[in-house]
Structures are given as structure tokens and as C-alpha cells.
Short mmCIF file of all heavy atoms in Angstrom, two decimals:
data_model
loop_
_atom_site.label_atom_id
_atom_site.label_comp_id
_atom_site.label_asym_id
_atom_site.label_seq_id
_atom_site.Cartn_x
_atom_site.Cartn_y
_atom_site.Cartn_z
N PRO A 1 10.83 8.04 4.71
CA PRO A 1 9.61 8.83 4.92
C PRO A 1 9.32 9.83 3.80
O PRO A 1 8.16 10.21 3.59
CB PRO A 1 9.89 9.56 6.24
CG PRO A 1 10.90 8.71 6.94
CD PRO A 1 11.76 8.16 5.84
N ILE A 2 10.37 10.24 3.08
CA ILE A 2 10.19 11.19 1.98
C ILE A 2 9.76 10.47 0.70
O ILE A 2 8.86 10.92 -0.01
CB ILE A 2 11.48 12.00 1.75
CG1 ILE A 2 11.82 12.82 3.01
CG2 ILE A 2 11.35 12.90 0.53
CD1 ILE A 2 13.13 13.56 2.90
N PHE A 3 10.40 9.33 0.42
CA PHE A 3 10.13 8.62 -0.83
C PHE A 3 8.83 7.80 -0.77
O PHE A 3 8.17 7.62 -1.79
CB PHE A 3 11.30 7.69 -1.18
CG PHE A 3 12.51 8.42 -1.68
CD1 PHE A 3 13.67 8.49 -0.92
CD2 PHE A 3 12.50 9.04 -2.92
CE1 PHE A 3 14.79 9.16 -1.39
CE2 PHE A 3 13.62 9.71 -3.40
CZ PHE A 3 14.76 9.77 -2.62
N ALA A 4 8.49 7.28 0.38
CA ALA A 4 7.32 6.40 0.48
C ALA A 4 6.04 7.20 0.28
O ALA A 4 5.82 8.19 0.99
CB ALA A 4 7.31 5.71 1.82
N PRO A 5 5.17 6.79 -0.64
CA PRO A 5 3.94 7.55 -0.89
C PRO A 5 2.87 7.33 0.16
O PRO A 5 1.93 8.13 0.28
CB PRO A 5 3.48 7.03 -2.26
CG PRO A 5 4.05 5.66 -2.35
CD PRO A 5 5.36 5.70 -1.61
N HIS A 6 2.97 6.24 0.95
CA HIS A 6 1.94 5.93 1.94
C HIS A 6 2.60 5.43 3.22
O HIS A 6 3.79 5.11 3.25
CB HIS A 6 0.97 4.85 1.41
CG HIS A 6 0.25 5.23 0.16
ND1 HIS A 6 -0.88 6.02 0.15
CD2 HIS A 6 0.50 4.94 -1.14
CE1 HIS A 6 -1.31 6.18 -1.09
NE2 HIS A 6 -0.48 5.54 -1.90
N ASP A 7 1.79 5.36 4.27
CA ASP A 7 2.23 4.77 5.53
C ASP A 7 2.38 3.26 5.33
O ASP A 7 1.43 2.59 4.93
CB ASP A 7 1.20 5.06 6.62
CG ASP A 7 1.69 4.61 8.00
OD1 ASP A 7 2.61 3.79 8.09
OD2 ASP A 7 1.13 5.09 9.00
N PRO A 8 3.56 2.68 5.60
CA PRO A 8 3.77 1.26 5.29
C PRO A 8 2.99 0.30 6.18
O PRO A 8 2.88 -0.88 5.85
CB PRO A 8 5.28 1.09 5.48
CG PRO A 8 5.65 2.13 6.47
CD PRO A 8 4.77 3.31 6.16
N ILE A 9 2.47 0.78 7.30
CA ILE A 9 1.75 -0.13 8.20
C ILE A 9 0.28 0.26 8.35
O ILE A 9 -0.45 -0.34 9.15
CB ILE A 9 2.41 -0.18 9.59
CG1 ILE A 9 2.43 1.20 10.25
CG2 ILE A 9 3.83 -0.75 9.48
CD1 ILE A 9 2.97 1.18 11.67
N ALA A 10 -0.17 1.25 7.58
CA ALA A 10 -1.56 1.67 7.64
C ALA A 10 -2.46 0.63 6.96
O ALA A 10 -2.20 0.23 5.82
CB ALA A 10 -1.74 3.03 6.99
N LEU A 11 -3.49 0.18 7.66
CA LEU A 11 -4.40 -0.85 7.14
C LEU A 11 -5.56 -0.22 6.39
O LEU A 11 -6.09 0.82 6.79
CB LEU A 11 -4.93 -1.72 8.28
CG LEU A 11 -3.88 -2.37 9.19
CD1 LEU A 11 -4.58 -3.21 10.26
CD2 LEU A 11 -2.94 -3.24 8.39
N ASN A 12 -5.95 -0.86 5.29
CA ASN A 12 -7.11 -0.44 4.50
C ASN A 12 -7.64 -1.66 3.76
O ASN A 12 -7.34 -1.89 2.59
CB ASN A 12 -6.73 0.68 3.52
CG ASN A 12 -7.95 1.23 2.79
OD1 ASN A 12 -9.09 0.83 3.04
ND2 ASN A 12 -7.72 2.16 1.88
N THR A 13 -8.39 -2.48 4.47
CA THR A 13 -8.84 -3.77 3.92
C THR A 13 -9.72 -3.61 2.69
O THR A 13 -9.88 -4.56 1.91
CB THR A 13 -9.60 -4.55 4.99
OG1 THR A 13 -10.67 -3.74 5.53
CG2 THR A 13 -8.66 -4.93 6.14
N ARG A 14 -10.31 -2.44 2.48
CA ARG A 14 -11.13 -2.25 1.30
C ARG A 14 -10.30 -2.26 0.02
O ARG A 14 -10.84 -2.47 -1.07
CB ARG A 14 -11.90 -0.93 1.41
CG ARG A 14 -12.97 -0.91 2.50
CD ARG A 14 -13.62 0.45 2.60
NE ARG A 14 -12.65 1.48 2.94
CZ ARG A 14 -12.93 2.78 3.06
NH1 ARG A 14 -14.17 3.20 2.84
NH2 ARG A 14 -12.00 3.64 3.40
N GLU A 15 -9.01 -2.02 0.12
CA GLU A 15 -8.13 -2.01 -1.06
C GLU A 15 -7.17 -3.20 -1.04
O GLU A 15 -6.10 -3.15 -1.66
CB GLU A 15 -7.35 -0.71 -1.12
CG GLU A 15 -8.22 0.54 -1.25
CD GLU A 15 -7.41 1.81 -1.34
OE1 GLU A 15 -6.17 1.73 -1.12
OE2 GLU A 15 -7.99 2.87 -1.63
N ALA A 16 -7.53 -4.27 -0.36
CA ALA A 16 -6.63 -5.41 -0.21
C ALA A 16 -6.37 -6.11 -1.53
O ALA A 16 -7.28 -6.27 -2.37
CB ALA A 16 -7.22 -6.39 0.80
N LEU A 17 -5.11 -6.53 -1.73
CA LEU A 17 -4.68 -7.35 -2.87
C LEU A 17 -5.03 -6.74 -4.21
O LEU A 17 -5.43 -7.43 -5.15
CB LEU A 17 -5.28 -8.76 -2.76
CG LEU A 17 -4.82 -9.57 -1.53
CD1 LEU A 17 -5.58 -10.88 -1.45
CD2 LEU A 17 -3.32 -9.81 -1.58
N GLN A 18 -4.86 -5.44 -4.32
CA GLN A 18 -5.03 -4.77 -5.61
C GLN A 18 -3.74 -4.85 -6.42
O GLN A 18 -2.65 -4.86 -5.86
CB GLN A 18 -5.42 -3.31 -5.41
CG GLN A 18 -6.83 -3.08 -4.90
CD GLN A 18 -7.19 -1.62 -4.87
OE1 GLN A 18 -6.37 -0.75 -5.17
NE2 GLN A 18 -8.45 -1.32 -4.53
N GLY A 19 -3.88 -4.91 -7.72
CA GLY A 19 -2.73 -4.85 -8.60
C GLY A 19 -2.22 -3.41 -8.71
O GLY A 19 -2.75 -2.50 -8.08
N PRO A 20 -1.18 -3.21 -9.52
CA PRO A 20 -0.66 -1.84 -9.70
C PRO A 20 -1.73 -0.90 -10.22
O PRO A 20 -2.36 -1.16 -11.25
CB PRO A 20 0.46 -2.04 -10.73
CG PRO A 20 0.87 -3.46 -10.57
CD PRO A 20 -0.37 -4.22 -10.23
N THR A 21 -1.96 0.17 -9.48
CA THR A 21 -2.93 1.18 -9.86
C THR A 21 -2.33 2.55 -9.66
O THR A 21 -1.19 2.68 -9.21
CB THR A 21 -4.22 1.05 -9.02
OG1 THR A 21 -3.89 1.22 -7.63
CG2 THR A 21 -4.88 -0.32 -9.22
N GLY A 22 -3.11 3.60 -9.94
CA GLY A 22 -2.63 4.97 -9.79
C GLY A 22 -2.17 5.28 -8.38
O GLY A 22 -1.02 5.69 -8.15
N PRO A 23 -3.05 5.08 -7.36
CA PRO A 23 -2.63 5.39 -5.99
C PRO A 23 -1.57 4.44 -5.45
O PRO A 23 -0.81 4.80 -4.55
CB PRO A 23 -3.93 5.27 -5.19
CG PRO A 23 -5.03 5.32 -6.19
CD PRO A 23 -4.47 4.74 -7.45
N HIS A 24 -1.54 3.22 -5.97
CA HIS A 24 -0.60 2.21 -5.48
C HIS A 24 0.15 1.63 -6.68
O HIS A 24 -0.31 0.69 -7.33
CB HIS A 24 -1.34 1.11 -4.72
CG HIS A 24 -2.20 1.60 -3.60
ND1 HIS A 24 -1.67 2.02 -2.39
CD2 HIS A 24 -3.55 1.77 -3.51
CE1 HIS A 24 -2.66 2.40 -1.59
NE2 HIS A 24 -3.80 2.26 -2.25
N LEU A 25 1.32 2.17 -6.95
CA LEU A 25 2.06 1.80 -8.16
C LEU A 25 2.47 0.33 -8.17
O LEU A 25 2.58 -0.28 -9.23
CB LEU A 25 3.30 2.69 -8.29
CG LEU A 25 3.04 4.18 -8.52
CD1 LEU A 25 4.36 4.94 -8.60
CD2 LEU A 25 2.22 4.40 -9.77
N PHE A 26 2.72 -0.25 -7.01
CA PHE A 26 3.11 -1.65 -6.92
C PHE A 26 1.97 -2.52 -6.40
O PHE A 26 2.18 -3.72 -6.19
CB PHE A 26 4.34 -1.82 -6.01
CG PHE A 26 5.63 -1.41 -6.66
CD1 PHE A 26 5.65 -0.74 -7.88
CD2 PHE A 26 6.84 -1.68 -6.06
CE1 PHE A 26 6.84 -0.36 -8.48
CE2 PHE A 26 8.05 -1.31 -6.63
CZ PHE A 26 8.04 -0.64 -7.85
N GLY A 27 0.80 -1.97 -6.18
CA GLY A 27 -0.32 -2.73 -5.65
C GLY A 27 -0.36 -2.70 -4.14
O GLY A 27 0.36 -1.95 -3.47
N THR A 28 -1.22 -3.56 -3.56
CA THR A 28 -1.40 -3.62 -2.11
C THR A 28 -1.32 -5.07 -1.64
O THR A 28 -1.47 -6.00 -2.42
CB THR A 28 -2.76 -3.02 -1.70
OG1 THR A 28 -3.81 -3.75 -2.34
CG2 THR A 28 -2.86 -1.56 -2.10
N ASP A 29 -1.11 -5.25 -0.34
CA ASP A 29 -1.04 -6.60 0.23
C ASP A 29 -2.39 -7.01 0.78
O ASP A 29 -3.41 -6.36 0.51
CB ASP A 29 0.05 -6.67 1.29
CG ASP A 29 -0.23 -5.76 2.49
OD1 ASP A 29 -1.34 -5.18 2.57
OD2 ASP A 29 0.65 -5.64 3.36
N GLU A 30 -2.42 -8.09 1.56
CA GLU A 30 -3.69 -8.63 2.04
C GLU A 30 -4.39 -7.72 3.03
O GLU A 30 -5.58 -7.89 3.32
CB GLU A 30 -3.48 -10.01 2.66
CG GLU A 30 -2.75 -10.02 3.99
CD GLU A 30 -1.24 -10.09 3.84
OE1 GLU A 30 -0.73 -9.59 2.82
OE2 GLU A 30 -0.57 -10.63 4.75
N TYR A 31 -3.66 -6.74 3.59
CA TYR A 31 -4.27 -5.79 4.52
C TYR A 31 -4.48 -4.41 3.89
O TYR A 31 -4.82 -3.46 4.59
CB TYR A 31 -3.39 -5.63 5.77
CG TYR A 31 -3.22 -6.91 6.54
CD1 TYR A 31 -2.00 -7.58 6.55
CD2 TYR A 31 -4.28 -7.45 7.26
CE1 TYR A 31 -1.84 -8.77 7.25
CE2 TYR A 31 -4.13 -8.63 7.97
CZ TYR A 31 -2.91 -9.29 7.96
OH TYR A 31 -2.76 -10.46 8.67
N GLY A 32 -4.27 -4.32 2.59
CA GLY A 32 -4.45 -3.05 1.91
C GLY A 32 -3.29 -2.09 2.06
O GLY A 32 -3.39 -0.92 1.71
N ARG A 33 -2.16 -2.58 2.57
CA ARG A 33 -0.98 -1.72 2.74
C ARG A 33 -0.24 -1.58 1.41
O ARG A 33 -0.17 -2.53 0.63
CB ARG A 33 -0.05 -2.30 3.80
CG ARG A 33 -0.68 -2.39 5.18
CD ARG A 33 0.19 -3.10 6.18
NE ARG A 33 0.42 -4.50 5.82
CZ ARG A 33 0.93 -5.41 6.66
NH1 ARG A 33 1.28 -5.05 7.89
NH2 ARG A 33 1.11 -6.65 6.26
N ASP A 34 0.29 -0.40 1.18
CA ASP A 34 0.96 -0.10 -0.08
C ASP A 34 2.27 -0.86 -0.18
O ASP A 34 3.15 -0.73 0.69
CB ASP A 34 1.22 1.41 -0.18
CG ASP A 34 1.84 1.81 -1.50
OD1 ASP A 34 1.17 1.66 -2.53
OD2 ASP A 34 3.00 2.25 -1.49
N ILE A 35 2.44 -1.67 -1.23
CA ILE A 35 3.61 -2.52 -1.38
C ILE A 35 4.86 -1.68 -1.64
O ILE A 35 5.94 -1.96 -1.11
CB ILE A 35 3.39 -3.54 -2.51
CG1 ILE A 35 2.30 -4.54 -2.11
CG2 ILE A 35 4.69 -4.28 -2.85
CD1 ILE A 35 1.97 -5.55 -3.18
N LEU A 36 4.75 -0.64 -2.45
CA LEU A 36 5.91 0.21 -2.73
C LEU A 36 6.44 0.84 -1.45
O LEU A 36 7.66 0.86 -1.21
CB LEU A 36 5.53 1.29 -3.74
CG LEU A 36 6.60 2.34 -4.04
CD1 LEU A 36 7.87 1.68 -4.57
CD2 LEU A 36 6.08 3.38 -5.03
N SER A 37 5.55 1.34 -0.61
CA SER A 37 5.99 1.95 0.65
C SER A 37 6.65 0.92 1.55
O SER A 37 7.65 1.22 2.22
CB SER A 37 4.79 2.59 1.36
OG SER A 37 4.21 3.59 0.57
N ARG A 38 6.12 -0.28 1.58
CA ARG A 38 6.70 -1.32 2.42
C ARG A 38 8.06 -1.77 1.89
O ARG A 38 8.96 -2.11 2.65
CB ARG A 38 5.74 -2.50 2.54
CG ARG A 38 4.50 -2.17 3.36
CD ARG A 38 3.58 -3.36 3.54
NE ARG A 38 4.21 -4.46 4.28
CZ ARG A 38 4.36 -4.48 5.59
NH1 ARG A 38 3.96 -3.45 6.34
NH2 ARG A 38 4.92 -5.52 6.19
#
């Protein structure tokens, strides 16, 4: 909970399948969930 930058199960379909970006260092999955946090 301390290291993860985002909620690992929070959905945000508007940001689905993004590559590594500023808010999401490892990108996002098909539901917009942060890959690094997961």
C-alpha cells in the first residue's frame, strides 16, 4: 500500500492499454488499471 502509486483494482477505461507514461510508469491494462501497482 505504501509503494503502489495507484489502487490496483481501480477501473479507468479512458486510460486503457496505455504505454509507460508519467502517471503510469509501467502503463495500464485493458481496464485502465496501473500495471506497476498490480
